Amino acid sequence: MATTSFRSIEITVVSGEDLRIDRKPVKRKTFATVKFDRQSFGGGGGSTENIDERGGSYPLWNEKMGLEIPVDTVFLTIEVHYCSNSRNRIVGTANVPVSDFLGRYRPESYLHLLSYRLRDGNGERNGIVNISVRVKELESDSEPAIASKATVRVPVAETAAFCRSRGGVVIGVPIWSSCSYKS
Amino acid sequence: MGGCFSDVKGGQAAVGGGQQSAGNSVTESSGGGQNDAVDFYFRSHGLEGLFTQVELSLSASKLLDRDITSKSDPMVVVYIKKNGVLQEIGRTEVILNNLNPQWIQKVSVAFHFETVQPLIFRVYDIDTKYCNVPVKTIKLNDQDFLGEASCVLSEIITKQSRSLTLCLKDRDGGSRNLGGSLTVRAEETIASRSIVEIVLRCSHLDNKDVFSKSDPFLRISRVVETGGSIPICKTEVVKDNLNPVWRTLCLSMQKFGDKDNPLVIECFDFNSNGSHELIGKLQKSMGDLEKLYREKSGANFVIPSSHGGYEKVLKGQLFVDHFVEKTQFSFIDYISSGFQLNFMVAVDFTASNGNPYSPESLHYIDRSGRLNSYQQAIMEVGEVIQFYDTDRRFPAWGFGARTRDGNISHCFNLSTNPTEPEVEGVEGIMRAYANALRNVSLAGPTLFGQVINKAAEIAAHSLFANINKYFVLLIITDGVLTDLQETMEALVRASDLPLSILIVGVGGADFKQMEVLDADNGHRLESCTGRVATRDIVQFVSMREVHRGAISLVGALLEELPEQFLSYMRNRDIKPTTTTPLHLAQPYASFAPQDI
């Protein structure tokens, strides 16, 4: 697996708009995760700034994540969840084609500001998620890329630990899977 | 930031907080703010110093009640009369269920000392089903008319109080009083780059509702020297909460005066019947609020006692959770510091324009030299864009015609040179256009997709060189579009680039489709794959409306462009290169959010 080449990207899930559950505006607190290849990142588990504390249907997360994605990744999936005591429910998901920010014609380090329609479990339209993506410039060869991979992953592990200590049933599971992947 | 609300919710949205939306969502239009791009154009055309920009604040009392079960939902539309034609210059917001409204949204107008500028104010009762849509898109014919008032702008300015109260009369200068009066106050606007981002929170507010808790919102007004106060913004309503936190407010110096100017902050309990109950109020300047933020202390609300002159101090307190002073650069700041606008032109050569040899055609080649509709549009629009274009070289394309080689092309060079689309100046476009008209035959269908993608490619390519170029594609068309969905896809992809599309409609066609593309109704364009336009990049101008005199060409062309340009630059945090040093501008930014 170490032999496949990766691109490192910096993705920020900025905000959501007009989020709904059963057609009614969301009132609870919400957070967002980014997934690819069945791994999940972010999700604001414990660090308060990544859950929108005010709650409501126009949340602001500004959750920044550094990711290493295999070059053959086609989609990233963004999931918006709402916090509840019993279980986390997904408000909506959006598929982000990697070609939207790794396409030709743009300088590598360009800050892409992108927005996507969220769809709920039944495929119904549900709100919008705003993200920004910056692709880190490719360093000469694959060797330095692996080095940076390790440093990038550290904060993710921290978040995960934090989230477990808070005792939430929250999103601990997907993040741990990412960590196990790392080692 | 309206969004989808059901009717009552329209009245609960924030007004005037000018949220420079933190994400990359479509920015709220400056609504009534002055357009410095238009000013700059006029000033450099010899009108310097002949006018000042003034802002009109409007309030009314004892309006007619048109609604049966509730009260009227009033909005004012302001017109200026030029050569006998009414030109709309602005609208206020809609206030829910109120016969004595004080509107927050200001209307900005250039005061020319030497000319008589008759103003007409029309007050409408807006049907509740429109209360949640952007006011600009409200069709006035569907609304109840509450009265009209008129005066000359200088009448207001020359009053010592700078305000004038007018009786509301019948439509079109009728003399019958309809009841109610409108007060107009004029103030000179101070251009300022300084804005304050502030988060306000309250605790222990009094409960005013019986079955639930209060639904509080704040209204901030600026105390003015001539007496009274002018509302500058109101927050959204936080439902059922005695310890509310409101969204970030962005207030420009233009709105709040200076840091010592007293502001009245009132907290109300929202009531859908329009009679919002005062929970408490207090008076603080922006400087005082900054102090509250730094000391992390609260200020108590007071309420005027029902008997006697004293004020009762309440338990409810106001806190400032976040206070950052920022410099917000204007369009002109960018342009004058070396940012470049580059225009590109695409002309519609489809058969729907009519045979160029028949006089009814929009492409008619008149032997006498009279300009056809396209030539007129190129000349008039060209004059404005050439002013803002840096090198006066325009890539010029045509679309929808059968070219010499017998194929239909949806993006061909107007010039005779097949490898070089650029032509020089407006004359160059005119020459290339006339040349192309002789060399191609009109065909179809009308596809915008390819020219937009071509323009996007150029804009994207420029990013490799530098970030201080912004592109504007001007599409001149008769407006019958075949590839609406593909055009939307192209626009959605282009919304991430330094590119705006200006569509100029010629002829008498129905421009419904163009209005869909110009996302002014608040719906963001969406591609079939689920990607959504990051920002509005389209502006549509109908030459028919311009020639009717209903709108001014310069104003219409430049109406949204500065806002679109700024939304691109600000969201990416790109700053003008040579202006006042920034470290002076953001003294508190360093310990802002993490302290909360």
Side-chain angles (χ1 to χ4, degrees):
Chain A
M1 190 167 267
T3 52
T4 35
S5 47
F6 288 86
R7 291 308 309 266
S8 75
I9 62 167
E10 192 180 270
I11 178 165
T12 307
V13 185
V14 182
S15 60
E17 292 175 37
D18 194 25
L19 304 182
R20 281 157 191 275
I21 283 197
D22 303 330
R23 303 240 166 89
K24 287 194 280 292
V26 171
K27 285 187 183 156
R28 292 166 188 273
K29 298 173 185 177
T30 52
F31 63 93
T33 58
V34 177
K35 270 187 173 173
F36 67 91
D37 284 356
R38 281 167 291 138
Q39 316 165 38
S40 173
F41 295 91
S47 50
T48 44
E49 58 202 309
N50 295 334
I51 290 187
D52 181 68
E53 283 296 324
R54 299 163 311 156
S57 57
Y58 285 81
L60 250 182
W61 303 296
N62 272 324
E63 171 151 26
K64 201 182 229 176
M65 289 164 252
L67 303 182
E68 298 279 317
I69 55 168
V71 281
D72 54 356
T73 309
V74 184
F75 287 108
L76 300 182
T77 304
I78 297 177
E79 287 179 348
V80 175
H81 308 248
Y82 80 64
C83 308
S84 107
N85 295 332
S86 53
R87 65 200 171 113
N88 284 303
R89 190 168 157 186
I90 292 184
V91 180
T93 57
N95 283 328
V96 179
V98 169
S99 59
D100 281 357
F101 52 86
L102 265 177
R104 296 165 298 156
Y105 302 131
R106 317 262 157 112
E108 295 268 279
S109 60
Y110 186 65
L111 177 68
H112 294 269
L113 301 179
L114 306 167
S115 307
Y116 295 90
R117 170 67 61 190
L118 291 165
R119 301 231 168 223
D120 66 14
N122 305 325
E124 300 262 339
R125 294 152 57 94
N126 184 350
I128 289 173
V129 62
N130 296 312
I131 63 169
S132 74
V133 183
R134 197 192 289 276
V135 179
K136 299 240 179 85
E137 269 168 75
L138 206 54
E139 289 157 56
S140 56
D141 222 59
S142 58
E143 283 306 314
I146 287 167
S148 70
K149 189 164 100 184
T151 54
V152 173
R153 288 271 171 83
V154 176
V156 177
E158 254 173 29
T159 321
F162 223 79
C163 111
R164 207 179 57 155
S165 68
R166 275 260 181 125
V169 187
V170 219
I171 16 37
V173 181
I175 287 178
W176 276 116
S177 75
S178 81
C179 296
S180 61
Y181 168 78
K182 182 194 134 204
S183 46
Chain B
M1 319 214 73
C4 302
F5 292 113
S6 64
D7 41 12
V8 176
K9 304 267 171 67
Q12 301 183 345
V15 180
Q19 306 236 357
Q20 177 64 68
S21 51
N24 27 352
S25 62
V26 185
T27 43
E28 183 182 271
S29 81
S30 56
Q34 68 194 95
N35 185 326
D36 54 357
V38 177
D39 286 1
F40 188 53
Y41 179 82
F42 282 129
R43 281 186 203 280
S44 53
H45 280 67
L47 288 163
E48 179 150 19
L50 290 181
F51 69 93
T52 56
Q53 204 71 33
V54 293
E55 242 179 26
L56 306 177
S57 322
L58 298 156
S59 59
S61 61
K62 297 189 183 128
L63 289 176
L64 261 189
D65 196 357
R66 290 278 190 179
D67 291 3
I68 300 159
T69 50
S70 61
K71 288 187 220 114
S72 296
D73 307 318
M75 173 183 91
V76 186
V77 184
V78 185
Y79 301 87
I80 192 159
K81 205 180 214 167
K82 276 189 186 151
N83 308 323
V85 185
L86 289 190
Q87 215 171 69
E88 183 179 324
I89 53 172
R91 295 181 179 190
T92 64
E93 78 275 17
V94 180
I95 292 189
L96 208 63
N97 285 323
N98 198 328
L99 301 179
N100 302 295
Q102 258 196 314
W103 288 277
I104 291 171
Q105 205 64 263
K106 313 283 185 275
V107 172
S108 157
V109 55
F111 172 47
H112 296 261
F113 310 108
E114 76 297 349
T115 49
V116 180
Q117 294 174 281
L119 298 176
I120 316 283
F121 303 91
R122 286 189 180 149
V123 188
Y124 292 89
D125 171 20
I126 305 302
D127 193 319
T128 25
K129 73 170 185 257
Y130 293 95
C131 281
N132 49 357
V133 304
V135 288
K136 217 177 124 189
T137 62
I138 294 175
K139 297 264 183 290
L140 297 176
N141 290 340
D142 306 340
Q143 313 303 332
D144 283 329
F145 181 72
L146 295 181
E148 175 180 297
S150 62
C151 69
V152 176
L153 180 55
S154 55
E155 277 183 79
I156 313 171
I157 309 274
T158 49
K159 277 265 184 335
Q160 200 175 9
S161 62
R162 291 277 175 112
S163 77
L164 192 65
T165 301
L166 305 157
C167 286
L168 288 171
K169 302 200 161 147
D170 243 350
R171 198 183 273 277
D172 299 321
S175 56
R176 193 166 62 96
N177 274 356
L178 288 182
S181 63
L182 183 78
T183 304
V184 189
R185 187 195 280 268
E187 280 195 305
E188 218 172 290
T189 44
I190 331 135
S192 167
R193 284 197 204 119
S194 188
I195 60 157
V196 169
E197 256 183 34
I198 187 166
V199 175
L200 297 174
R201 164 172 74 87
C202 287
S203 69
H204 302 106
L205 292 176
D206 286 9
N207 195 4
K208 298 285 181 189
D209 290 0
V210 184
F211 297 110
S212 64
K213 293 186 211 105
S214 301
D215 308 316
F217 70 94
L218 294 177
R219 187 173 75 173
I220 304 180
S221 315
R222 174 165 47 92
V223 176
V224 287
E225 289 165 22
T226 49
S229 60
I230 296 177
I232 54 173
C233 78
K234 91 177 187 191
T235 65
E236 78 278 9
V237 174
V238 176
K239 278 211 205 150
D240 199 17
N241 197 331
L242 299 179
N243 301 296
V245 187
W246 289 277
R247 287 190 206 177
T248 315
L249 289 173
C250 282
L251 296 173
S252 64
M253 187 87 100
Q254 198 178 318
K255 282 191 179 130
F256 64 78
D258 57 55
K259 275 179 115 175
D260 299 322
N261 197 325
L263 303 171
V264 178
I265 302 172
E266 291 159 301
C267 183
F268 291 96
D269 174 30
F270 180 85
N271 210 329
S272 56
N273 68 15
S275 54
H276 311 307
E277 198 176 344
L278 183 69
I279 298 176
K281 65 180 204 174
L282 52 85
Q283 188 163 329
K284 291 274 175 229
S285 70
M286 214 30 114
D288 298 335
L289 292 176
E290 188 184 347
K291 216 168 125 195
L292 285 183
Y293 167 69
R294 275 192 283 173
E295 293 169 355
K296 297 196 186 308
S297 54
N300 285 77
F301 281 105
V302 297
I303 196 151
S305 168
S306 48
H307 46 272
Y310 73 96
E311 287 174 329
K312 189 177 157 211
V313 179
L314 301 171
K315 218 168 104 194
Q317 281 190 316
L318 177 82
F319 292 88
V320 183
D321 274 358
H322 174 70
F323 188 102
V324 181
E325 247 180 293
K326 275 190 178 166
T327 305
Q328 199 164 55
F329 297 103
S330 71
F331 180 66
I332 299 302
D333 287 338
Y334 283 94
I335 297 299
S336 57
S337 83
F339 279 67
Q340 301 178 1
L341 285 184
N342 294 269
F343 284 84
M344 306 178 251
V345 184
V347 180
D348 184 342
F349 279 91
T350 54
S352 58
N353 290 288
N355 181 353
Y357 297 100
S358 115
E360 293 88 62
S361 168
L362 299 169
H363 276 307
Y364 179 53
I365 308 169
D366 193 336
R367 304 272 172 224
S368 68
R370 210 171 54 87
L371 300 179
N372 68 29
S373 304
Y374 276 89
Q375 287 167 318
Q376 277 181 28
I378 295 172
M379 286 292 277
E380 293 172 27
V381 175
E383 195 198 340
V384 181
I385 63 170
Q386 136 169 320
F387 173 76
Y388 274 111
D389 193 273
T390 326
D391 57 3
R392 297 188 67 237
R393 292 184 64 80
F394 308 106
W397 303 291
F399 57 91
R402 195 178 294 278
T403 50
R404 278 235 164 132
D405 56 15
N407 295 326
I408 292 173
S409 169
H410 298 293
C411 185
F412 57 89
N413 293 352
L414 286 190
S415 69
T416 41
N417 185 344
T419 54
E420 180 51 67
E422 281 198 4
V423 296
E424 183 125 6
V426 177
E427 319 77 56
I429 307 176
M430 290 293 271
R431 260 199 311 277
Y433 165 78
N435 163 63
L437 203 53
R438 280 192 299 273
N439 286 318
V440 301
S441 53
L442 306 193
T446 314
L447 309 180
F448 283 1
Q450 293 195 17
V451 282
I452 294 174
N453 286 339
K454 185 86 191 163
E457 208 177 290
I458 292 178
H461 200 75
S462 82
L463 292 170
F464 287 99
N466 49 17
I467 51 162
N468 59 6
K469 282 190 173 182
Y470 192 89
F471 294 82
V472 184
L473 170 65
L474 179 71
I475 302 179
I476 309 179
T477 176
D478 69 347
V480 188
L481 187 59
T482 333
D483 66 337
L484 189 63
Q485 188 57 42
E486 251 168 74
T487 303
M488 297 218 285
E489 309 268 327
L491 290 172
V492 168
R493 278 195 300 272
S495 67
D496 183 35
L497 289 168
L499 178 68
S500 282
I501 319 274
L502 207 52
I503 303 175
V504 173
V506 293
D510 176 16
F511 291 118
K512 274 256 157 52
Q513 286 177 315
M514 301 300 125
E515 277 154 23
V516 173
L517 297 179
D518 188 352
D520 284 349
N521 57 1
H523 293 295
R524 291 159 71 175
L525 295 180
E526 190 167 340
S527 81
C528 58
T529 59
R531 185 163 160 194
V532 181
T534 318
R535 57 199 183 97
D536 174 19
I537 63 166
V538 182
Q539 156 85 53
F540 170 69
V541 180
S542 156
M543 288 308 275
R544 182 178 48 192
E545 298 292 303
V546 171
H547 290 145
R548 224 162 42 86
I551 48 175
S552 96
L553 181 67
V554 184
L557 285 175
L558 299 176
E559 185 185 5
E560 291 174 25
L561 185 59
E563 206 56 45
Q564 293 177 1
F565 174 92
L566 289 173
S567 75
Y568 179 84
M569 297 299 167
R570 284 177 188 160
N571 283 337
R572 285 182 170 68
D573 212 19
I574 301 171
K575 304 211 161 83
T577 35
T578 51
T579 30
T580 43
L582 269 166
H583 56 89
L584 295 177
Q586 292 184 300
Y588 309 113
S590 54
F591 55 91
Q594 61 268 37
D595 287 0
I596 299 170

